[in-house]
Every structure is written in C-alpha cells, then in structure tokens.
Amino acid sequence: MSSPNGVPTKITQGSGTKGGIGESTLRPDGTLKVTGEFAYSSDMWHEDMLWGQILRSTVAHAEIVSIDTAEALALPGVYAVMTYDDLPTEVRNYGLEIQDTPVLAHGKVRHHGEPVAIVAADHPETARRAAAKIKVEYRELPVITDEASATAPDAIHIHEGRDDHHVGHVAHPNIVHRQPIVRGDVTRAAAKADVVVRGEYYFGMQDQAFLGPESGLAVPEEDGGVHLYIATQWLHSDLRQIAPVLGLPEDKVRMTLAGVGGAFGGREDLSMQIHACLLALRTGRPVKIVYNRFESFFGHVHRHPARLYYEHGATKDGRLTHVKCRIVLDGGAYASASPAVVGNAASLGVGPYVVDDVEVEAIALYTNNPPCGAMRGFGAVQACFAYEAQMDKVAKELGLDPVEFRQRNAMEQGSVLPTGQSVDSPAPVAELLRRVKAMPLPPERQWESSEGADVRQLPGGLSNTTHGEGVVRGIGYAVGIKNVGFSEGFDDYSTARVRMEVVGGEPVATVHTAMAEVGQGGVTVHAQIARTELGVARVTIHPANTEVGSAGSTSASRQTYVTGGAVKNSCELVREKVLDIGRRKFGSYHPAWATAELLLEGGKVVTDGGEVLADLVDVLGDEAVEVEEEWRHRPTEPFDLRTGQGFGHVQYSFAAHRAVVEVDTELGMVKVVELACAQDVGKALNPLSVLGQIQGGTVQGLGIAVMEEIIVDPKTAKVRNPSFTDYLIPTILDTPTIPVDVLELADDHAPYGLRGIGEAPTLSSTPAVLAAIRDATGLELNRTPVRPEHLTGTAPSTD
Amino acid sequence: MRVNFTVNGRPQEADDVWEGESLLYVLRERLGLPGSKNACEQGECGSCTVRLDGVPVCSCLVAAGQVEGREVVTVEGLADFAKQRSCGTGTGAGACAGHTDATPDSAPQGVSLDEAKAWAARPQDSHTGEGAQLSPVQQAFIDAGAVQCGFCTPGLLVAADEMLERNPDPTDADIREALSGNLCRCTGYEKIMDAVRLAAARQGEAV
C-alpha cells in the first residue's frame, strides 16, 4: 500500500545558530505551522482511504436489547459495520490502569455517548448516515449521578464483578479508589484553634477543549499488521492497549505520531485508535476517523467535577492548627485515570502550607456521568480551588491580610507534607506571593478618565451593557502546589536515541524519541539540549514513533524533566563515545586528551580551559555515533492505603496568582482585568516557551472560574452542551493581560535544575479569580464556574 | 456538482462535490489544501477562516456552491497575498513582478523592534523554513512565540492579516475585537497579542 499524505518528516533546525538551553530558541516546526504545511492527524490522507464513523449511545444507562445493522450495511458506499460481536479476540476492554472500558458496548451502556458500533464508508457523510441507520433498542436503567445514588445500599453496581486492585479497599463497588491521608492528631490540634472555618465547595466539569479534534489514519500493512498515524499523548501506552484487542503482537502495530492539536490530558485515554484499526483490518483499506466538535465532547474524558468539604483551624496569631477535608470526585462511568487523580487530590489537598495535624479523604465515584480522567492539574486543581477559598475565609475571621496569612503558613524547603514527605528542593511559596503582590496594579476606574469608557474593556464588553455604572473592582490572591512526573511508585522512565555524524561537512545531531509533541515545544527543547551537550549547531528532530523506546506521557508536567533528561543523558553518552574516538585518533598529539575535562563546543572538542583540540568533523570522519538509552528520575513509592504516608512525588511545582476583576453587580458580568502570575521554574530552558505555558495554563484556569462547565442533566445523565456554542472557552476578548514573574531556583535533583511548569499555573488562577470576585461583591461563591446568575442572586437553589 | 473558483490566485475546479459539502471540506479533501482547520464546524472557533472575495469568513459555514466564480485566499496563499498587496495590487488578483521568486522587499523578516520586544526571541532557520517567503504576520507569529500546537494558527493568521490591512495601527482593544472569533486553547493569547503588535510595528517601520 502506498504511503499516505501527511506522514511526518524529519525537521532540521539551526545551521549557523546557537540556541542552546536557556535561550528563547524558536520552534523547529514553526514555519510549517504558519504556512499550513504542518500535517495534523486530521490532515492525513490516502487515495484509497475510507472514513470511519462511531455510533454512540443516546442514553446514559441502559441494557442493549438488540442491534440491527442491516440497513446500514445496505447503504451504497458502506464497506463495513462492526459491533461488539465482530471484535476479533477475547480482549474487548481497554483502560489506562483498570481495563474496564469496552471497545464497543457489550450488553449495556454506562454513559451518554458510549461507542456502540462503527462504520466505514467512502464519504464521511455516507458513514454518518449509515451509523444513523443502525437500530439499537435500549432498556433504560436508573441513572447514578452522585455520591448518594452511587453508594446507596441498593445501587446498581456500574461494573459488576469488579476484580481490580482497588476494589478491596473501598466501601462500595461504585467507589473506584479511596486514599486517606492521616498525620498527627486532628482532634487534639483542633482544641488549640481560636477560629474554625468550614466550607463546602463544588467544582464543575471542565473540558480540555483542545482545538484539534481526535483523529487518525489506520493503514493496513502487507504482513497483516497495521500502521496507525495518531494524535496522542503517549504512543506506547496506546500501543499496549490497542494490540491485544486487535490480536496482533505489538511489533505488528506500528504507531507514528501525527500532528497533535493540543491535548491537556484529553488524549491520555484511547479514543478512536482501536476503532480505526479494526475497520482498516476488516476492509483492507486505510481508514480515517475525525471527530467533529460534538463528538469530541463525548470522545474524551473530562476534568473530574468535585464536591469538597473542608475544615481549617487557626490560632489568633495566624497559624494553622489543623485541616480536615473530604474530596469526592465524580469519575463517571469508567475508571480512566481516576485512581491517580484521587492520589493527587489527597496528597496535595492541604496545599502549599505547613500543617502538622491533618485528616484527608479523597474518593472517586463510578457514576453514569461522562467518564473523567486527566486534565492539566490532575486532582490538584479542584483541591486548590477549595483550600484557597478556605485560606481567605480564615484570614477574614482572624482579621489578617490574606497574603500575610498565607505567608505565615507557607511551606519552604525542608517542610514536611501531610504525606510525611519532606520537600527537598526550593519551595518559595511566600516569595511567590510577595512577588505577585508587588507587581503594579492596573489603573482603576478608567472609564472616568478623560478618554472615557471603551466598552470593550468593561464587563459585558461589546454587548455595551455598562459604561462603568454598577461596576466594582476586586483583587484576589491564590497559590498552589502541583506534583511533577508520575507518582506513587510508577516506573516513570523515558528513552532517547541520539545520533551524531557529519552531514554535508557539518556535525549534525539527530534526536529520536517517542515523545508526543502536543504543542508544548518539547521538540524545541530537545534541539536545545543537543546543541548544549554536543556543541553542534544543526539538529534534526526525528518523527516520534514506536521504533524507539517509550518516552512516557506528555502529561504531569514531566516531559522536559524526563524525556529532556533522557535526551541529555543520551547526549552525554554520545559525547563520551565521540571523545573516545578523538582520543584514539588524536590522543597522541596533545596531552590534554588524556588529562583535561573535555567539552564539545562550536563544532569542536575543547578543554575546559577553552583550548581547541580538534574539529568534530575530523574526529567523526565517516563514523556515526548512536546511543539509545532509558533514563529515570529517582523512584517514588506508593502512599500507604490507610495513612497516606509515603515518598509519593518526585518534584513539586509552585505558582501564585493575583487576579484583578471588575464586576457589573447589576448584571453579574465579570471582566478579568489582569491576571498576574509568579512561578518558580527551576531553570527556564526556553524562556519564551515558559511564558507560553504559564499564560496558557493561567487562561485555562480563568475559563473554569467564569465560564467553562459541561452541564450534565441530573435526571438523565445526558450532556446538554457539547459544542463551542454552548460550552464557552475564553476568547481573546475574555482574556486579560498576564504579566509573569519567573523565578529560577534550581532543583538539584533535576536535569539543569529545571522544574516541570505546565500545570501549576492552572491551579492558582481559578481561586485567585474567585477571590477577586468575592472581594468585589462580598458574596460567598462556593462553586466554580461563577455565572452571572450566581452574582445577581437569580441562580436556582439547586445550583 | 462541479464548482469553479479561484484559490490563492489559481483557478480551481472541484468535481463530484456533494451539495452538502462546505467550502472547508472542498479545500481540505478535494483540493489538497488542508491548511484551513476544522475544529468546531459551526463557526465558533475561527480555525477555518479564509478570505472570500477579501472578506474573512468561516469556510465551514460556506456551502461549496456559494463560492462558484469567487476568489478564496487560504493560509497557504497568505504569503503571496501579502506580497502582492505590498506591491499595490491589493486584492490578491493582480501580479507582482517576479512575485514567485523575489527577495523579501517590504516585509523585513527576522527584525525585532524595540516596541515589540517584551520577548527575547531571535529568529532561526529550519530547513523547511529556509527560503520560505512568509508574510509579516506569519513571521511575527513565529518570532513572538504565538504558535504552540498551531491548530488555531492558520485562521488567526488570515484574520490578523485582514485586520492589519484595514487597520495598520491597531490598539490592543482593536486587536482583541478583531480576533475575538478565533479560539486558541494553548497560548492564553498573550503571545498572539505580541505577534500582532510586532507585525503592525514592522509594517509601520517598513512604510
């Protein structure tokens, strides 16, 4: 079969440029992306290809009485229709940790939009029409939508006969996982409290809303295997789940990363991967599946909505005595990443504060709501929203400045977390708050200036709902803590293959990893590391695929740390080999070859004193040096299932925000005027990309503060707003200026001292905006997002 | 049905077009121009923005038949379009002497200006970019770090280029208003603002 259009190619960057670590090197794929030439997974195309379509359940919880595919199959242009009965092997489920997700529904559907059948046809519209002709008869079951209905004694078990490794320590089979954290003596500590503040909070369901919908092209191969070009966050995790369902050994499922249009956690789970492969193998034709936005809302997991119950105690002098909390995450119908999200929510549930006496419980439920799993911030986001609201309440009770109160309780290097883990790298929590508070404030009441009001900068914007009347300003602060990397004993390694050779008279390094470049700029950083370590100008980035070992997931803020660490390590090994060649060829000409510390710089071998010993072109000659090695950060360990104690996380990341909002109190419209951030990044490998991550994460936090929420009908568990018309993400008009203060305090455990940065800004952004709205309005506001009706007192009491 | 129209200055003929197909579908699937992106198919995200007789439109909301006899500019043609405009022909229909292989003229590439230097970027070459003729706004998006995943980029470029054509010296509020129909999920828009300010500043300097 001929090769499809859009196959990723090597990208070479940098002749005559430096662009090592610490520089704002520009993206190697930038030109392709601005000219429209960069091929995303949805741009893949093959002259013989068919289009796949998935039929999804129209109800949330039901037995499937019958499926009739005859009419669909009879439609001209349809090549295949497949249901559960057509699956080729006995492996018919998949899942990140618990294999509880059916490839196609079997006997029962557990959430609205679950895949029931798949179709391949010669035009996407034909495929859609054929899917609509499949007759599925459902016998509806009562829906489970919250903790009360999930754990009722007579509740239907969403998954009958669970045998996963969490079922033994949960109180009900509709609880996926439970993680308590117990430290000190909360009862005794509470007796010392001068004030005790309790609160109940609700965090709405957020969608990743990456712009490039789920898509890929599966091409059948002559050896009976399949080649899948796919947008994902982790090729090897996909491969491990796909191959058994197809009944193929892993080496017959070749995977290549196609262009990825954002991810934010939403591509950790499989979406259309297996479906496209099944249809390709069934028809013998390449099959492309591209979700539209409507389907994308059903096609990936969301951020867990959560109910959070907190109790904070403090003494008059502003010291926290104790924290109790209970975090109930709604995992929806399938486990996805719920167990790990529970671990994060529990272990980070108290926030970046020193509290010796703590009782935390976090659980995730199985319900008939949409499945929830990974999204940027991963359990720490929900907790941060609640504990920061609590910190403001306690400060208010004590009559203390909210920043001052936080600083008095802020953790620092050497502090011990509720898990018993000592924070053994910089933790500048108080300093980040100081910095963000010290930034100049935007001018007030600009509408009263001589230039008058520009309605575009006021609440309601172009709707022209106010010229300043009824508008009040508020300021709020928040700070958060996020773990970096996979935790709880997971073997979180990455692999890098680095090759060095002379091409066209110039030394060139080629970096080949399976890292998913989802937009974050990992490919830029890899080229920078290769330049710094190998002293070359020219670096070629090989397309990511499964011909090289796993790079782990592009998530948990881990790729620069772990795959960056792997690239650095492989570069160092390549350098040693190159120097060995040099010593062999030229060692007798200069004693420094044997005695000095040698570096590769500017295409040459130099001593640490700067003396040039040889040109890399002469050292390498016709030889190519190549190394492929796995690299690991220091190991972590699981949290104890009863006490939550353990060295569970490898690194922490901290960010603080100050939000300035203006609220039209009459109409409930909010304008975020400025959202300033201070973050410790350890070492900014690429300062420009660091800003991009911080500002992007900040705006996703803004979204869940004031607009984003997937609305699920509590009576039917059906999704009510699966579109960009009804699920709003921030536009450029909703977004304020985002000044950023970057702190670089090295973590000595990490490559170059770097700290994973992608997620921390998503944590504190939301509570800072909420605090600012509370400051402006005086309202309690215990849920997010805040909509106009929550500010005008016209929200239904159930909301 | 058959649809005849002009895309990026070249006459195109699309055959076997089903009446329900959008301009976006015809561009992507029938004419091999996948630069315009499909992210919502209902005119909310702007990723599919193209110029239709000069007017920015969401090509997902334009029925293919509506473009019969009309002129479309996509991101793939943006550099040529900007070049022809700088030669004074404006709509992209006219010719500019040697426009296919001319050296950069009024569009200085890789020049950073003090006004727009909040970022510390320096332009770099890549083998795929070397010799590529980029419009000022395309170059500014690269230089300012406005591209992350890049899925929104083509639509934003077409919209930003059109705004700068109308309003060469926009205020921040003007930029935000003009780009409010283009969603981006990666950048938080700050670097996009920087890029458009940079393109405007370079454009101003070049005059």
Side-chain angles (χ1 to χ4, degrees), chain A residues 220-226 248 252 254 281:
Chain A
E221 299 208 301
E222 277 166 17
D223 65 356
V226 65
L248 291 171
K252 284 201 173 181
R254 294 158 193 97
L281 292 170

Side-chain angles (χ1 to χ4, degrees), chain A residues 26 82 91 107 167 209 228 241 292-293 303 338 374 491 516 518 526 587 590 626 652 670 701:
Chain A
L26 300 181
M82 297 176 76
V91 181
V167 73
L228 181 63
Q241 297 172 79
N292 61 18
R293 182 57 51 184
R303 188 194 297 291
S338 279
D491 183 19
V518 304
H526 291 179
H590 198 302
E626 184 173 293
Y652 297 98
V670 175

